Amino acid sequence: ISCLICIPQVSYASTAPDLSDNTRYDFFSRVVPPDTYQAQAMVDIVRAMRWNYVSTVASEGNYGESGVDAFIQKSREEGSVCISQSVKIPREPKPGEFDKIIQRLGDNPNARVVIIFANEDDIRRLLQAAKKANQTGHFLWVGSDSWGSKISPVLHQEEMAEGAVTILPKRQNIRGFDRYFTSRTLENNRRNIWFAEFWENNFNCKLSRHALKKGSGVKKCTNQERIGKDSSYEQEGKVMFVIDAVYAMAHALHNMHKDLCPGKVGLCSKMDPVDGTLLLKYIRNVKIAGIAGSPVQFNENGDAPGRYDIYQYQIKNKTAEYKTIGHWTDQLYLNMRAMQWPGGGKQVPTSICSQPCKPGWRKKIVKGISCCWHCERCDGYQYQHDLYTCKMCRFDLRPNKNHTGCQPIPIVKLEWSSPWAVIPVLIAILGIIATLFVVVTFIRYNDTPIVKASGRELSYVLLTGIFLCYATTFLMISTPDVGICSLRRIFLGLGMSISYAALLTKTNRIYRIFEQGKMTVSAPRFISPASQLVITFSLISVQLLGVCIWFAMDPSQALIDYEDQRTVDPEMSRGVLKCDISDLSLICLLGYSMLLMVTCTVYAIKTRGVPETFNEAKPIGFTMYTTCIIWLAFIPIFFGTSQSTEKMYIQTTTLTISVSLSASVSLGMLYMPKVYVVLFHPEQNVAKRSTRSLKAVVTAATMSNKFNPKASLRPNGEAKSELCENLETQGEQV
């Protein structure tokens, strides 16, 4: 059954998006693109100009409202353009209505761009209101095809419209139509019943059929007037589309007739009446070249492809004109160099809600408006991960200067040239030289009485410990690696352990000799040189055993500590190359040495009353008292600087100097007096005759203490000296 009321239509001017709805307007087709394409083109223009905050103005009605709705929908899909506000112009505006609209648009000065879907009259009155409000050059207009390249909306307000970007379906003047139309006269165009009325309006005259009133100022038409010569003429922009629409319908009917009525002239029974549904199929299948060479075809909704020319209204040398600056066919092409903005500027004006954030600052979006934000700095150890996020740098990295990325934290270590290293090294070098000097002197004078009386075996052990204490400084300053860190574990406490083990053995021997003398005349056990060495090395082995256990449980390694100098200011942060010895581990490493030191000090106090030349009792005592003071000063300095950014330098320097000072005290108080006597007073380095046994000496010492406490007061201390010398000599011989 033929659909008698289904009449296909081909429009040459209707662009409303609603007409693309096949469920409502299924028989409608058009040779002009719908406003959805136009809206997409306008969104692309806005994006190309880097405008992200715009306002919209629409004339009330299907064209204006649908066009703005399409623009808003497309901008939301793109996600890069926000609408400041949408204003609608009523069909019958009240007085002052356009002034209010301009005031509303100016409420947000950041949204300078105004998207306009309005009729010519509304555009003209809107520009007038903007000029009245002294907003020349402020608003940047983007007009739809209703503005296009028309003169009437901008007449007498060119400066207000300067820089406006407008869009118009791609078209071309048809020269054949110009030749035809300008050749029309009243004689050769009698078929058009409205042509006479057009003639009168176009030439501002009256035909003879109308009576002329005197004094009206209207002349009589002479029929000699010519279109384009005696009046202005401009081809209507839709002429091309009218011709294309006619040709599209003609080709559809021709193809339909060829298929349904082959070889026949005129309508056949199959086309009488014409089936609208079938004709629609032929219309939708039309693919021809239009009058201007552009293809004429339709999609499934009856819409033509989107092809637009883009214009800008420019003023050059006080002459205003629409200049083509680009085109849009599925995608945008703009000649940015051809564009010119109010005042003749070439720089594209801005229309954004918020200025772009500086590098290293993130955007904090204003709720509900994705194009408006506050800028927040990525501070501390954060860097700008993306436009909206700050992230922390990895533990071994710090942000660069502008916080746009991360860079490695510089690695530092104690350098040999650092003042923190120079002083300890200088002390250590002087100490080693002095120690070697003492060793050489003792070896050179090994068999002299003073060297013998000092207990040669333990003296050399003690000097070894002192040497290691000085040498430890070089290990502490050397660049950490597995080998250096292992040597630090071994020798940091070993030198002190050797020193204090030897001193403890000496003071213990003195204490036992005199304690034994108070109770019996028999000599105490384990006071021979061999016994003393066994005791000393036994004490030292405890230190070595502890270090071995530590190695087994936690092998030594060098590491980079990024927390040690992680300052508030990332620019000052440093990674510290160090050994894996914590403060607690260090105290444990030195703890045994300190235990030996304290024990030795206790014995030094107990033996403070023995004869002053007996086995260096008093020099050992002064040595231990001074050493305790040094280490009591070391502890608060070491732990008090644990939070300092200079921790590595202060603690290393403090530790090395404390160890060296301890060694220097022992060297200075125990050996330098002997070296002085050996080298400068050899007459005192002689043995006094004594034939008494150790047993007799101990007995004499005991009896002297019990019955004659003032015996030691004899002139020149002869009794005391004799007693001590005999004990020393006997001790060497045992």
Side-chain angles (χ1 to χ4, degrees):
I1 302 175
S2 298
C3 181
L4 299 178
I5 60 174
C6 298
I7 304 174
Q9 305 172 57
V10 179
S11 173
Y12 58 84
S14 300
T15 60
D18 293 349
L19 296 173
S20 297
D21 186 357
N22 259 337
T23 61
R24 298 172 60 192
Y25 309 103
D26 47 337
F27 282 85
F28 180 84
S29 303
R30 48 188 166 188
V31 294
V32 289
D35 288 338
T36 49
Y37 292 133
Q38 184 175 193
Q40 181 64 61
M42 296 173 82
V43 169
D44 290 346
I45 292 171
V46 168
R47 293 181 61 199
M49 301 295 179
R50 299 184 184 276
W51 296 328
N52 69 358
Y53 202 45
V54 302
S55 299
T56 63
V57 175
S59 292
E60 185 177 7
N62 185 265
Y63 170 77
E65 294 180 54
S66 297
V68 165
D69 289 344
F71 177 86
I72 294 175
Q73 179 63 30
K74 293 292 183 182
S75 64
R76 285 176 180 170
E77 292 174 2
E78 298 288 341
S80 57
V81 180
C82 297
I83 308 302
S84 172
Q85 53 185 323
S86 293
V87 182
K88 184 165 62 175
I89 302 174
R91 292 183 186 276
E92 297 180 2
K94 297 178 182 178
E97 186 71 35
F98 287 92
D99 295 332
K100 293 179 181 179
I101 291 173
I102 292 297
Q103 183 177 355
R104 282 187 60 186
L105 295 176
D107 286 343
N108 194 338
N110 289 337
R112 295 179 60 187
V113 172
V114 180
I115 309 299
I116 300 180
F117 279 87
N119 58 53
E120 294 180 40
D121 187 56
D122 286 346
I123 294 171
R124 178 180 57 80
R125 295 174 68 182
L126 189 66
L127 295 177
Q128 287 177 346
K131 185 176 182 180
K132 180 180 176 182
N134 197 27
Q135 294 290 338
T136 302
H138 174 72
F139 292 111
L140 307 170
W141 313 100
V142 179
S144 65
D145 60 350
S146 60
W147 183 336
S149 58
K150 295 175 182 175
I151 300 298
S152 58
V154 298
L155 191 62
H156 305 309
Q157 43 199 9
E158 289 80 3
E159 290 184 357
M160 179 54 59
E162 184 181 8
V165 177
T166 59
I167 192 170
L168 198 61
K170 196 172 187 65
R171 65 188 186 185
Q172 187 175 332
N173 281 347
I174 309 303
R175 293 182 180 180
F177 180 82
D178 288 341
R179 290 194 300 270
Y180 168 79
F181 193 79
T182 55
S183 65
R184 295 299 88 192
T185 64
L186 292 171
E187 283 76 18
N188 61 19
N189 198 30
R190 293 183 180 278
R191 65 173 185 159
N192 191 330
I193 60 175
W194 296 287
F195 193 72
E197 184 178 349
F198 162 77
W199 195 271
E200 291 179 335
N201 291 333
N202 189 49
F203 296 108
N204 194 24
C205 62
K206 288 292 183 182
L207 295 172
S208 57
R209 57 190 176 133
H210 300 288
L212 295 176
K213 296 181 180 179
K214 292 182 179 181
S216 62
V218 178
K219 63 182 179 179
K220 183 178 181 180
C221 297
T222 64
N223 202 25
Q224 300 301 314
E225 297 89 356
R226 290 295 178 265
I227 299 172
K229 293 182 179 179
D230 301 311
S231 66
S232 60
Y233 167 75
E234 180 183 4
Q235 185 178 128
E236 164 60 44
K238 295 183 175 63
V239 168
M240 182 188 80
F241 299 112
V242 174
I243 297 174
D244 286 346
V246 171
Y247 272 105
M249 181 65 78
H251 276 274
L253 287 170
H254 175 73
N255 293 336
M256 184 178 181
H257 182 271
K258 188 166 59 174
D259 291 341
L260 298 182
C261 309
K264 293 185 179 180
V265 178
L267 294 179
C268 61
S269 58
K270 291 183 179 180
M271 290 186 65
D272 188 16
V274 174
D275 185 342
T277 302
L278 185 59
L279 177 58
L280 178 64
K281 291 181 180 179
Y282 281 96
I283 292 174
R284 295 288 171 85
N285 288 328
V286 166
K287 289 184 180 180
I288 60 173
I291 190 66
S294 300
V296 176
Q297 61 187 60
F298 307 95
N299 64 12
E300 66 276 7
N301 296 322
D303 297 328
R307 294 187 296 271
Y308 296 94
D309 284 323
I310 301 169
Y311 300 89
Q312 187 180 41
Y313 193 66
Q314 299 180 356
I315 300 177
K316 291 184 178 180
N317 300 323
K318 298 183 179 180
T319 301
E321 64 174 345
Y322 288 98
K323 183 174 181 179
T324 303
I325 59 170
H327 59 83
W328 189 94
T329 306
D330 294 328
Q331 62 182 8
L332 177 69
Y333 170 78
L334 276 181
N335 183 3
M336 303 293 289
R337 290 179 295 181
M339 303 184 76
Q340 179 179 300
W341 303 98
K346 290 292 185 180
Q347 184 70 31
V348 179
T350 59
S351 181
I352 55 178
C353 181
S354 302
Q355 292 295 328
C357 293
K358 295 183 292 185
W361 295 65
R362 77 176 185 94
K363 294 179 180 180
K364 185 177 182 181
I365 301 298
V366 176
K367 188 175 182 180
I369 309 176
S370 61
C371 299
C372 299
W373 57 78
H374 304 298
C375 294
E376 287 188 351
R377 179 176 172 79
C378 298
D379 55 4
Y381 286 82
Q382 295 180 330
Y383 71 99
Q384 184 184 3
H385 177 67
D386 54 35
L387 291 176
Y388 307 97
T389 311
C390 291
K391 284 191 174 182
M392 292 292 292
C393 288
R394 207 172 62 202
F395 73 95
D396 59 338
L397 302 175
R398 67 179 183 182
N400 55 23
K401 192 171 183 179
N402 57 10
H403 288 254
T404 55
C406 295
Q407 60 187 13
I409 294 176
I411 308 302
V412 297
K413 60 183 179 62
L414 187 57
E415 301 290 345
W416 292 99
S417 59
S418 169
W420 296 99
V422 170
I423 295 176
V425 167
L426 182 60
I427 294 174
I429 291 174
L430 294 176
I432 289 173
I433 293 173
T435 303
L436 293 176
F437 178 74
V438 171
V439 171
V440 170
T441 302
F442 266 49
I443 293 174
R444 172 69 178 80
Y445 298 95
N446 188 57
D447 294 327
T448 60
I450 285 184
V451 176
K452 285 182 177 181
S454 64
R456 287 177 295 183
E457 293 78 4
L458 287 183
S459 292
Y460 290 126
V461 171
L462 179 55
L463 286 170
T464 302
I466 292 172
F467 176 84
L468 290 178
C469 287
Y470 287 124
T472 301
T473 297
F474 299 95
L475 290 176
M476 297 301 296
I477 297 175
S478 297
T479 301
D481 56 30
V482 175
I484 293 295
C485 292
S486 300
L487 292 176
R488 283 187 189 182
R489 285 193 185 184
I490 295 171
F491 289 103
L492 182 58
L494 183 60
M496 294 176 61
S497 296
I498 293 174
S499 300
Y500 298 129
L503 287 176
L504 176 58
T505 303
K506 277 194 173 189
T507 54
N508 175 263
R509 175 175 177 266
I510 297 170
Y511 174 76
R512 287 189 294 113
I513 288 174
F514 278 88
E515 283 297 309
Q516 184 78 2
K518 293 178 182 180
M519 297 178 291
T520 177
V521 295
S522 61
R525 301 173 62 189
F526 308 120
I527 62 173
S528 66
S531 300
Q532 299 300 295
L533 288 176
V534 170
I535 294 171
T536 300
F537 286 118
S538 298
L539 294 174
I540 296 171
S541 64
V542 175
Q543 172 78 20
L544 293 175
L545 179 62
V547 172
C548 291
I549 294 173
W550 188 6
F551 272 120
M553 295 180 62
D554 183 17
S556 183
Q557 61 178 341
L559 53 84
I560 300 175
D561 187 351
Y562 291 97
E563 295 298 327
D564 191 54
Q565 292 192 33
R566 192 176 181 86
T567 56
V568 176
D569 181 7
E571 287 293 314
M572 303 301 295
S573 66
R574 299 290 185 270
V576 179
L577 179 60
K578 58 189 286 190
C579 294
D580 61 336
I581 302 177
S582 64
D583 292 350
L584 179 60
S585 300
L586 181 64
I587 294 302
C588 292
L589 185 63
L590 298 176
Y592 180 66
S593 300
M594 292 183 178
L595 176 63
L596 293 177
M597 179 184 69
V598 171
T599 307
C600 187
T601 304
V602 171
Y603 277 109
I605 294 172
K606 288 185 176 183
T607 58
R608 68 186 183 278
V610 303
E612 59 185 23
T613 58
F614 186 83
N615 267 0
E616 311 147 315
K618 283 187 169 50
I620 291 175
F622 288 128
T623 298
M624 299 316 301
Y625 306 151
T626 306
T627 302
C628 287
I629 293 172
I630 291 172
W631 287 100
L632 285 175
F634 161 78
I635 291 174
I637 295 175
F638 187 87
F639 289 100
T641 58
S642 59
Q643 302 301 320
S644 171
T645 55
E646 304 291 332
K647 170 185 174 182
M648 175 185 68
Y649 307 107
I650 296 175
Q651 290 189 343
T652 303
T653 302
T654 302
L655 178 60
T656 53
I657 290 179
S658 296
V659 173
S660 294
L661 286 179
S662 300
S664 299
V665 168
S666 300
L667 188 66
M669 290 191 174
L670 297 178
Y671 292 99
M672 286 306 172
K674 293 181 175 62
V675 172
Y676 176 76
V677 171
V678 168
L679 296 179
F680 299 106
H681 294 283
E683 70 277 4
Q684 297 180 14
N685 190 10
V686 294
K688 294 185 178 181
R689 292 183 179 179
S690 178
T691 57
R692 286 177 288 179
S693 66
L694 176 63
K695 182 176 180 181
V697 172
V698 172
T699 303
T702 305
M703 297 305 293
S704 174
N705 288 333
K706 288 182 178 179
F707 301 110
N708 191 7
K710 295 184 179 180
S712 61
L713 299 178
R714 286 186 292 174
N716 302 319
E718 293 176 0
K720 185 186 295 182
S721 299
E722 181 180 4
L723 172 65
C724 295
E725 289 166 3
N726 277 281
L727 282 172
E728 296 291 345
T729 305
Q730 293 296 329
E732 288 290 326
Q733 295 172 354
V734 174

